[in-house]
Amino acid sequence: ALESFKQNTKRRRDLVKLIYASDLTPEQIAAGAELGDGGDAKGAHGDGDEDDFFRPKGAVKTSLAEEVLDQTKEDVAVDALAKWEDEALLDSIRHLFITGSGGGDED
Amino acid sequence: MPSQASSSLLRYTGHEHFRNRIVLSILSGKPVRIDKIRSDDKDPGLRDYEASLLRLIEKVTNGTIIEISYTGTSILLKPGIISGGSITHDCPLSRSVGYFLEPLLSIAPFSKKPFNLTLRGITTDDKDLSVDLIRTVSLPHLQLFGVSDGLELKIKRRGSAPLGGGEVQFLCPIIKQAKTINFVSAGKIKRIRGIAHAVRVSPQFSNRMIEAARSVLNRYIPDIYLYSDVYRGDDSGKSPGFALSLLAESTTSAIHCSESVSSPGISPEDIALQAARSLLNEVSRGGCVDRKHQNLVLIMMVLGSEDVGRCRMGELSPRSIQLLRDIRDFFGTSFKIAPSDPATPDSSELLLSCYGTGYINANRTLA
């Protein structure tokens, strides 16, 4: 029950506040961070104006391979797609299709 | 994060979100300065594709001043007017044509003269939208905003990585103002379409991809048409490659898409399964616009007439979140974001609304 409650509060995050009035990085917000859990994690990718001085040199990304590219397609994790081999999951989105039951009243 | 130094100059640091910031600067007319572009990298400064994009921006506008620092780690862009017209640009082989075309989609409708842009290079890769997806998915998204008559992307030649050799022609009409959208009903998926292409490899690869994709998708709806697109000879570019692009269209014309591109050692069947499962993944996110097109729709919504535009979307991508912040910097517009179905806590769909800035294509009246 607690688990599901947590889920719900996560969904109820105030996105407007998170986006316009917090210092969390877009990645943290998209991953489901809340106001307040970002404290020490922020600035990992350098926002320039904060704790530049104290950042250990190792934290600065130098390798080309790690660079976050400005790309539209998101990298697909092949493992994440493996879940779609599951029959139950395949059936679970049937309601989104016109042939699915429960709400053929749309047309 | 930006800090407004002078009256209207906007400052950013880092190379991330480069394209969106350039686009917003051109559209809003506000100069932008980007510092510390890979300043800590062992190979600092702009990449060749970023420099090439800036050159392309220079070509499609008139009076734009771009200053690049000696080391290439900072740029200053003072936007001019969007002039459009007939332009040809050779894209570097480090990124596909999609990288260059995507930002222009939201710029082109507000040009002085209609766009007739020819781009050469790689037409399909795994980083940016392929020309197939731009033609079948991005352009319909643009049509929502009233950009329709004469909007076209012609794929004249295909070109796979690494050598490219493809060519596309982008035609875009000009509009006076973007329509305000009210797209809140996602509908149900009524058809699935797809384009399989294979260049400089056995043409049988297309059919193998189509068959494998059908094995996943056939269970849902009968209306599936996967097209095998054949390009031969010089039209098939300089390198071998194949890819499958899929799109699912709903009863309310919401479109979701996915794509998978060949990489060494992976069979056409695996590529197709990847594309099909990505499509299911995308569909299950919900919303009225495709996740890869959130950015385009958000920018066009802000430019809409002075009325409240509304759109239902699935979870926002990190790029969209940063874009929302950047939009506020450039246009002063904040979006209202609320769960779309407060009654069902399971739903992660969001309702985004904003008050359009009433952006008028001022370039057009100069003609």
Side-chain angles (χ1 to χ4, degrees), chain B residues 250-278:
Chain B
S250 83
T251 46
T252 54
S253 299
I255 303 176
H256 292 279
C257 68
S258 75
E259 184 169 59
S260 195
V261 182
S262 62
S263 57
I266 299 185
S267 73
E269 283 78 11
D270 287 342
I271 294 293
L273 289 178
Q274 220 178 71
R277 288 177 181 148
S278 303

Side-chain angles (χ1 to χ4, degrees), chain A residues 70 72-73 90 95 99, chain B residues 38 102 188 220 259 319:
Chain A
D70 183 7
T72 304
K73 284 188 198 165
L90 285 169
H95 67 278
T99 46
Chain B
R38 301 188 185 88
E102 286 169 28
K188 285 178 186 293
Y220 292 112
E259 184 169 59
R319 275 166 62 88

Side-chain angles (χ1 to χ4, degrees), chain B residues 26 56-64 80-87 107-108 110-116 174 361 363-364 366:
Chain B
I26 295 287
L56 176 59
I57 292 291
E58 259 179 340
K59 285 184 196 173
V60 302
T61 56
N62 192 3
T64 298
I81 65 157
I82 308 164
S83 54
S86 184
I87 300 145
I107 291 180
F110 302 100
S111 167
K112 182 174 173 183
K113 283 179 284 181
F115 264 59
N116 178 358
I174 51 174
N361 184 356
N363 304 324
R364 196 181 74 138
L366 295 174

Side-chain angles (χ1 to χ4, degrees), chain B residues 13 41 51 58 92 98-99 119 142 169 189-190 198 206 209-210 225 237 274 277 340 344:
Chain B
T13 52
D41 202 290
E58 259 179 340
Y99 176 85
L119 292 172
L142 209 49
Q169 187 184 16
I189 288 159
K190 61 174 181 183
S206 291
M209 283 192 286
I210 290 172
Y225 188 73
Q274 220 178 71
R277 288 177 181 148
S340 60
T344 47

Side-chain angles (χ1 to χ4, degrees), chain A residues 10 13 25-34, chain B residues 315-316 318 321:
Chain A
K10 208 170 210 182
R13 291 182 304 147
T25 65
E27 286 75 17
Q28 287 170 334
I29 296 174
E34 304 268 352
Chain B
E315 280 174 41
L316 294 172
I321 290 170

Side-chain angles (χ1 to χ4, degrees), chain A residues 12 19-20 24 26 60 64 67 69-70 72-74 85 87 90-91 94-96 98-99 103, chain B residues 19 38 47 49 95 102 125 127-128 188-189 219-220 259 277 291 318-319 325 328 335 342:
Chain A
R12 299 271 176 225
I19 290 173
Y20 292 122
L24 295 173
V60 180
L64 267 179
E67 180 175 325
L69 286 168
D70 183 7
T72 304
K73 284 188 198 165
E74 291 169 72
E85 287 170 26
E87 289 287 319
L90 285 169
D91 281 330
R94 201 175 275 279
H95 67 278
L96 296 170
I98 201 168
T99 46
Chain B
R19 286 184 294 171
R38 301 188 185 88
R47 294 280 172 264
Y49 53 85
R95 292 302 280 266
E102 286 169 28
D125 79 351
K127 296 192 188 74
D128 299 288
K188 285 178 186 293
I189 288 159
R219 64 192 292 135
Y220 292 112
E259 184 169 59
R277 288 177 181 148
R291 188 170 160 96
R319 275 166 62 88
R325 289 175 169 173
R328 189 180 59 167
F335 277 74

Side-chain angles (χ1 to χ4, degrees), chain B residues 156-322:
Chain B
K156 297 191 159 168
R157 292 175 177 186
R158 287 191 182 275
S160 289
L163 293 175
E167 184 177 319
V168 298
Q169 187 184 16
F170 174 57
L171 300 169
C172 182
I174 51 174
I175 57 169
K176 187 161 173 262
Q177 193 170 33
K179 278 186 190 161
T180 301
I181 59 163
N182 192 2
F183 199 1
V184 292
S185 166
K188 285 178 186 293
I189 288 159
K190 61 174 181 183
R191 63 166 81 113
I192 294 177
R193 293 288 179 267
I195 298 171
H197 80 263
V199 292
R200 307 231 164 245
V201 291
S202 159
Q204 204 51 39
F205 277 26
S206 291
N207 299 333
R208 282 168 65 185
M209 283 192 286
I210 290 172
E211 207 167 300
R214 275 187 169 277
S215 73
V216 177
L217 301 173
N218 262 352
R219 64 192 292 135
Y220 292 112
I221 44 173
D223 190 359
I224 301 178
Y225 188 73
L226 306 178
Y227 177 72
S228 173
D229 205 14
V230 183
Y231 279 74
R232 293 192 187 285
D234 279 348
D235 291 348
S236 56
K238 294 173 182 163
S239 297
F242 52 91
L244 177 66
S245 322
L246 295 171
L247 68 94
E249 193 184 340
S250 83
T251 46
T252 54
S253 299
I255 303 176
H256 292 279
C257 68
S258 75
E259 184 169 59
S260 195
V261 182
S262 62
S263 57
I266 299 185
S267 73
E269 283 78 11
D270 287 342
I271 294 293
L273 289 178
Q274 220 178 71
R277 288 177 181 148
S278 303
L279 183 70
L280 296 181
N281 215 12
E282 177 62 44
V283 165
S284 67
R285 289 181 200 272
C288 292
V289 299
D290 183 73
R291 188 170 160 96
K292 300 180 217 39
H293 291 84
Q294 286 175 352
N295 283 5
L296 176 65
V297 171
L298 289 173
I299 291 178
M300 293 302 284
M301 277 173 79
V302 168
L303 300 175
S305 57
E306 289 172 297
D307 199 352
V308 177
R310 299 193 301 157
C311 184
R312 180 200 286 248
M313 293 189 185
E315 280 174 41
L316 294 172
S317 68
R319 275 166 62 88
S320 303
I321 290 170
Q322 183 60 45

Side-chain angles (χ1 to χ4, degrees), chain B residues 40 45 117 241 295 354:
Chain B
D40 295 327
L117 175 70
N295 283 5
C354 82

